[in-house]
């Protein structure tokens, strides 16, 4: 029917024990003028919808027995900034997952020794909140809908689909958020109030790849004077000082009319629940407990950025 609709036909020759030969005839003369127009047409621009590798953080386990699929998927995951471990079957996946914490697991269904459905059930028994995604050529396999997978992706899978899916379950690298914000807001200023000079310099170093507009003070009174005179977008303060409290810094911010949009992060090593409640009641947006890693600190600053404009 299709051949006839295209003004053509089809012949079949078949010999028992030898095989069959199919011949398709199409009348191309009617489209000759169209072909000429197509040859003279301007070239089609390539699609710009390809998703570049985002910058995620996290560790991924991929359970897959096909070598080419292992290489293809794991390479895209690494390009996105994540660590990825490979398991060749379900039992190996269980063994690896028992010795390492993962942020996300990808699993094929048809893997040896223990299939992906059984593997997912075992993992979810111990960690019901761990997201598991199936990447399979058999998305309608029996039991797959009730296996507990967050999503089922059909092979072959594009990098676009993979990255969009990972974005639902893996956090973005906080440095990407800071880089974007300070590139768009090059005049944004940060005040660091910390009586430990060494730690204050560490925090400044954490921020140095993104902005140079970081002022450090070791003293509450000096911090209040700086706040009264300057306009800071973000203030990062300790809680306990020899001559005062981080609450004094917060109160100075709240009293200044030009600091209505200032976001505040408290980084402290000694605070009980009552003090934490007082911090938030006074106007602190987020707090971190010392010691703090660069990743945790940048995530804290990223949370302040998320609040800008709110």
């Amino acid at each position: 029917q299709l051949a006839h609709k295209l003004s053509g036909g089809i012949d079949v020759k078949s010999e028992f024990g030898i095989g069959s030969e199919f011949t398709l005839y199409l009348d191309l003369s009617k489209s000759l003028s169209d072909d000429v127009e197509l040859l003279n047409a301007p070239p089609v621009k390539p699609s710009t919808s390809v998703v570049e590798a985002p910058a995620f953080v996290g560790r991924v386990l991929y359970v897959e027995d096909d070598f080419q699929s292992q290489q293809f998927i794991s390479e895209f995951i690494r390009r996105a900034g994540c660590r990825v471990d490979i398991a060749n079957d379900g039992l190996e996946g269980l063994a690896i997952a028992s010795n390492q914490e993962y942020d996300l697991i990808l699993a094929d269904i048809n893997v040896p020794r223990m299939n992906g459905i059984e593997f997912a059930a075992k993992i979810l028994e111990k960690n019901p909140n761990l997201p598991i995604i199936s990447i399979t050529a058999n998305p309608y396999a029996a039991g797959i809908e009730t296996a507990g997978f967050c999503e089922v992706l059909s092979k072959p899978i594009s990098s676009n689909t993979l990255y969009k899916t990972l974005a639902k379950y893996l956090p973005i690298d906080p440095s990407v958020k800071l880089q974007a914000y300070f590139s768009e807001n090059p005049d944004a200023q940060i005040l660091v109030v910390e009586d430990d000079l060494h730690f204050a310099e560490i925090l400044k170093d954490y921020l140095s790849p993104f902005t140079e507009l970081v002022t450090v003070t070791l003293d509450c009174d000096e911090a209040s004077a700086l706040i009264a005179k300057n306009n800071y977008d973000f203030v990062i303060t300790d809680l306990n000082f020899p001559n005062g409290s981080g609450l004094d810094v917060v109160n100075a911010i709240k009293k200044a009319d030009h600091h209505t949009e200032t976001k505040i992060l408290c980084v402290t090593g000694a605070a009980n629940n009552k003090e934490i409640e007082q911090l938030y009641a006074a106007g602190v947006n987020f707090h971190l407990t010392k010691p703090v890693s660069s990743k945790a600190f940048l995530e804290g600053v990223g949370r302040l950025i998320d609040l800008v404009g709110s």
Side-chain angles (χ1 to χ4, degrees):
Q1 292 180 357
L2 180 60
H4 290 157
K5 288 182 178 180
L6 295 173
S7 302
I10 188 168
D11 287 342
V12 181
K13 294 180 181 179
S14 181
E15 293 187 38
F16 181 77
I18 296 179
S20 301
E21 178 183 308
F22 297 84
T23 304
L24 175 65
Y25 301 94
L26 296 176
D27 183 2
L28 301 179
S29 61
K30 294 183 179 180
S31 61
L32 183 58
S33 60
D34 294 335
D35 292 341
V36 173
E37 291 181 6
L38 286 173
L39 289 172
N40 295 327
V44 178
K45 293 182 179 180
S47 171
T48 57
S49 62
V50 176
V51 177
E52 294 185 2
F56 298 115
V57 290
R59 190 161 188 160
V60 178
L61 173 63
Y62 184 29
V63 182
E64 171 64 72
D65 63 323
D66 179 71
F67 179 76
Q68 289 186 336
S69 295
Q70 290 176 354
Q71 297 300 303
F72 179 78
I73 298 296
S74 62
E75 176 61 23
F76 282 125
I77 294 173
R78 291 189 186 98
R79 288 183 186 179
C82 294
R83 297 188 63 178
V84 57
D85 297 321
I86 301 293
N88 294 290
D89 57 66
L91 286 179
E92 184 180 1
L94 284 180
I96 294 174
S98 66
N99 295 312
Q100 175 65 52
E101 291 188 3
Y102 289 97
D103 301 284
L104 177 67
I105 293 179
L106 309 177
D108 191 9
I109 296 298
N110 298 316
V111 289
R113 297 210 293 170
M114 175 185 288
N115 66 43
I117 293 175
E118 295 171 337
F119 164 78
K122 293 288 186 182
I123 291 292
L124 293 174
E125 281 180 6
K126 295 183 177 180
N127 192 346
N129 296 319
L130 178 59
I132 307 177
I133 296 171
S134 173
I135 302 179
T136 177
N138 187 15
Y140 304 106
I144 197 170
E145 293 184 356
T146 58
F149 293 114
C150 297
E151 296 190 37
V152 177
L153 304 179
S154 298
K155 293 180 181 179
I157 181 173
S158 68
S159 59
N160 290 19
T161 300
L162 179 63
Y163 289 144
K164 289 177 181 178
T165 303
L166 294 181
K168 300 177 185 179
Y169 304 99
L170 295 175
I172 297 292
D173 186 340
S175 63
V176 175
K177 185 183 296 183
L178 270 68
Q179 188 67 56
Y181 178 82
F182 288 104
S183 295
E184 295 175 1
N185 302 274
D187 297 327
Q189 296 193 60
I190 300 176
L191 175 64
V192 175
V193 189
E194 169 60 61
D195 62 320
D196 183 337
L197 177 60
H198 177 67
F199 186 65
E201 291 298 330
I202 289 176
L203 297 184
K204 186 175 182 179
D205 285 343
Y206 287 163
L207 294 166
S208 62
F210 314 105
T211 178
E212 296 180 355
L213 301 181
V214 180
T215 302
V216 173
T217 179
L218 311 179
D219 182 85
C220 277
D221 292 337
E222 184 181 7
S224 297
L226 289 169
I227 289 167
K229 184 170 60 174
N230 301 297
N231 190 7
Y232 295 104
D233 299 87
F234 306 101
V235 174
I236 300 161
T237 181
D238 195 0
L239 176 59
N240 298 312
F241 293 88
N243 66 331
S245 165
L247 290 172
D248 299 327
V249 177
V250 177
N251 290 331
I253 294 170
K254 296 305 176 182
K255 289 179 181 178
D257 293 336
H258 57 289
H259 279 287
T260 56
E261 299 299 323
T262 301
K263 308 305 177 187
I264 308 169
L265 171 65
C266 182
V267 183
T268 179
N272 55 44
N273 291 337
K274 183 178 180 180
E275 289 174 322
I276 296 299
E277 291 176 1
Q278 290 175 336
L279 285 172
Y280 284 103
V284 168
N285 299 106
F286 188 60
H287 87 281
L288 295 170
T289 302
K290 298 176 183 177
V292 60
S293 66
S294 61
K295 177 177 176 290
F297 176 69
L298 295 180
E299 285 177 347
V301 177
R303 292 186 66 162
L304 298 188
I305 290 174
D306 290 338
L307 296 173
V308 172
S310 62

